Amino acid sequence: MQPAPEHSESELLQFRRAKLDELQKRGIAAFGGKFEVSHDPGTLRKNFVEGIDVRVAGRILSRREMGKATFFDIGDITGRIQCYLSKSDVSEEDYALFIHQIDIGDFVGVTGQSFVTKKGEPSIHVKVLTPLSKALRPLPDKWHGVTDREIKYRQRYLDLISNDRSREIFVTRSKMVAEIRNYLHGRDFLEVETPMMQDVPGGAAARPFETHFNALDQKMYLRIAPELYLKRLLVGGFNRVFELNRNFRNEGVSRRHNPEFTMLEAYWAYADFEQMADLVEDMICHLAEKFCGGLIIEHKDEEGAVTKTIDLTRPWKRVSYRELVKGAAGEDWFTLSKEAKVERAHSLGVHEIHAGDEHHELDQKAFEKLVEEKSFNPTFVTHVPKELVPLAKQNVADDSVVDVYELIINGQEISPGYSELNDPIVQRQRLLDQAGEETQKIDEEFLLALEHGMPPAGGIGIGIDRLIMMLTGAESIRDVVLFPQLKRKTES
RNA sequence: GCGCGGGUAGCUCAGCGGUAGAGCAGUUGGCUUUUAACUAAUUGGUCGAGGGUUCGAAUCCCUCCCCGCGCACCA
């Protein structure tokens, strides 16, 4: 891509260009090549050993010039380490080169010895400094970093360079995702990849993104869920299987929604939703203990004050949907007329509710506003009305509800779990009932697979982004997604 | 899509009808254990874009663009 055309290049950029020219004039590779490193900057500082030879590379993040000597910090995603360069160690010419041609923001390699300064700072006494890459633009404010949300998201690299907190979140996310895979592999789940481009977008109720397959001249959709393919694998004999990857939903963006989001789905043959709840509870606690220092998760604001505390101590509450709604909206809620429900909701401060809706929609609205958004500690909501969940088994004792849980933590749904519906005849009818109102196509290939026999199974989905938000205390999904979707920035 | 808030130097922000400001970064110096180093001097702006009101607009009005928050759709 070409750099954006500018009326007149700012002085800042001109100086850096001039420095680049000077380096090249002297035959120094401004954009260097291989540099063998013995340590990463942050790793060296963490496991510091004094008096050893080291070769470390990184970006210059700050510097403190003191005449004939200079301290500077180099760093990367692992952290930073201080370097000390003295005029007496290098030639006058080289020292001047460092002062005048090397900037904060440049990548350099340092060769030298580890030592500790008077003030106790682990440092590298630099003997050779190797320019590795010239930065033609300056870094954000060294103290405040980038705070402009738009720059944070559009130029995430600047956020990562300058904000410790962002760096920590994304490193933690990566480790958590790896640990989730380990956890499932350790329980003999096989990871698979199923189509992201689908002919019939199924497995959830959501508007899909559309695309076109030129070679076949056919409309395709980005998947809204992998569920119907993973169930085909249950039919095929994969008795423990999972997929951890992206879903796409063509809907609004918000603090809790990114149109592409990461979902874990796992299916376990011969299990039921309660066994899946045990699995999820154990897995999330495992992550919290491994990465968050325990089961008490504190969310903090900018100043470090605790704004929210989530207690993951087991066992987690398991309560039926109706009990929760009754507890929040009144014991008589389910006996009320539509109008009475709306009136009751208004009196409880819920105004986004309309008498024109079906009863189950009114119930769901009351649930979302009065229960879900106010539940921070984990709650497995069980016995959910069947209208809301067409792919789960109906309860034997009460066929108006399904054998599922919906796990609520941090005021959001983090994970649903089902006893999966494996009766092809009932499944067809349930899909038809839903398709009627949503005008969705039926995935006949999926039903064909079910007709060949799918073992009874438990299944889960876990919204990974929201899970990471909950565990890291991020307030917005954009703080746990490296490159969140933003509107195209037009010339103006 | 609707409502509210925001967009000023590379970054963080102040200014809110009367000559465009500060800190950091940058530039030129001083300083060989500093760490938001210190210190002297100094450069840097189509005030998001376009239109209007006014003697005069970063500031008031209109339209548009982008970001954030809330609502709606949804996980």
Side-chain angles (χ1 to χ4, degrees), chain A residues 390 392 394 421 423-433:
Chain A
Q394 276 154 274
L421 178 53
D423 177 334
I425 297 163
V426 174
Q427 180 67 85
R428 176 180 294 276
Q429 194 52 51
R430 297 270 295 283
L431 287 173
L432 281 171
D433 290 347

Side-chain angles (χ1 to χ4, degrees), chain A residues 326 328-334 336 338-350 353 370:
Chain A
K326 284 199 281 187
E331 279 299 315
D332 58 348
W333 173 269
F334 289 97
L336 300 177
K338 289 182 183 178
E339 290 72 20
K341 282 182 178 177
V342 170
E343 196 177 324
R344 172 73 56 79
H346 282 183
S347 74
L348 292 167
V350 178
I353 188 165
L370 297 171

Side-chain angles (χ1 to χ4, degrees), chain A residues 134-152:
Chain A
K134 184 77 200 155
L136 297 178
R137 289 176 185 273
L139 253 37
D141 190 285
K142 67 178 176 186
W143 187 241
H144 301 96
V146 174
T147 64
D148 184 308
R149 313 285 282 188
E150 196 170 352
I151 298 177
K152 276 171 81 86

Side-chain angles (χ1 to χ4, degrees), chain A residues 175-187:
Chain A
K175 289 179 176 170
M176 283 180 174
V177 168
E179 189 58 28
I180 289 169
R181 288 195 159 99
N182 281 342
Y183 182 93
L184 291 169
H185 287 145
R187 281 157 184 75

Side-chain angles (χ1 to χ4, degrees), chain A residues 175-415:
Chain A
K175 289 179 176 170
M176 283 180 174
V177 168
E179 189 58 28
I180 289 169
R181 288 195 159 99
N182 281 342
Y183 182 93
L184 291 169
H185 287 145
R187 281 157 184 75
D188 293 326
F189 282 78
L190 292 176
E191 181 171 8
V192 296
E193 294 169 87
T194 67
M196 294 212 182
M197 291 164 60
Q198 301 180 348
D199 183 30
V200 181
R207 277 173 58 194
F209 283 95
E210 297 176 3
T211 185
H212 189 261
F213 193 155
N214 287 343
L216 304 184
D217 189 23
Q218 119 187 346
K219 194 185 222 181
M220 299 288 283
Y221 302 88
L222 299 187
R223 75 174 179 200
I224 55 177
E227 176 156 358
L228 304 188
Y229 281 90
L230 292 170
K231 285 179 171 171
R232 285 163 165 88
L233 296 179
L234 286 172
V235 172
F238 276 78
N239 60 354
R240 282 186 287 273
V241 67
F242 77 97
E243 181 160 12
L244 200 174
N245 219 312
R246 223 71 64 81
N247 287 348
F248 306 86
R249 299 191 183 175
N250 203 345
E251 281 153 2
V253 297
S254 79
R255 217 151 53 90
R256 300 182 181 78
H257 301 268
N258 194 52
E260 51 178 316
F261 62 101
T262 302
M263 181 75 122
L264 165 69
E265 285 202 13
Y267 294 86
W268 188 351
Y270 321 119
D272 66 358
F273 80 97
E274 303 208 62
Q275 198 171 336
M276 299 315 281
D278 293 338
L279 179 79
V280 167
E281 184 175 322
D282 187 68
M283 184 172 81
I284 292 176
C285 287
H286 172 71
L287 291 174
E289 282 171 337
K290 183 152 185 156
F291 299 107
C292 310
L295 296 179
I296 307 297
I297 310 293
E298 291 186 334
H299 290 196
K300 296 171 180 169
D301 63 16
E302 307 277 307
E303 280 76 43
V306 175
T307 54
K308 197 189 290 174
T309 303
I310 297 171
D311 185 351
L312 299 178
T313 304
R314 302 178 72 175
W316 293 354
K317 257 197 317 187
R318 299 187 187 192
V319 193
S320 81
Y321 184 87
R322 289 175 72 93
E323 289 307 313
L324 286 167
V325 174
K326 284 199 281 187
E331 279 299 315
D332 58 348
W333 173 269
F334 289 97
T335 66
L336 300 177
S337 67
K338 289 182 183 178
E339 290 72 20
K341 282 182 178 177
V342 170
E343 196 177 324
R344 172 73 56 79
H346 282 183
S347 74
L348 292 167
V350 178
H351 299 284
E352 306 88 353
I353 188 165
H354 311 287
D357 291 342
E358 296 297 323
H359 270 290
H360 74 264
E361 291 172 316
L362 297 174
D363 300 344
Q364 177 64 6
K365 184 60 76 177
F367 171 77
E368 284 172 8
K369 294 293 166 189
L370 297 171
V371 179
E372 184 171 274
E373 290 183 7
K374 293 174 181 169
S375 301
F376 297 107
N377 293 336
T379 305
F380 285 109
V381 182
T382 62
H383 300 92
V384 175
K386 70 172 180 190
E387 292 84 355
L388 302 172
V389 190
L391 298 166
K393 263 202 165 86
Q394 276 154 274
N395 187 272
V396 175
D398 175 1
D399 69 3
S400 72
V401 300
V402 282
D403 279 340
V404 307
Y405 74 76
E406 282 181 8
L407 174 60
I408 311 298
I409 315 179
N410 195 24
Q412 302 179 26
E413 186 183 343
I414 295 275
S415 164

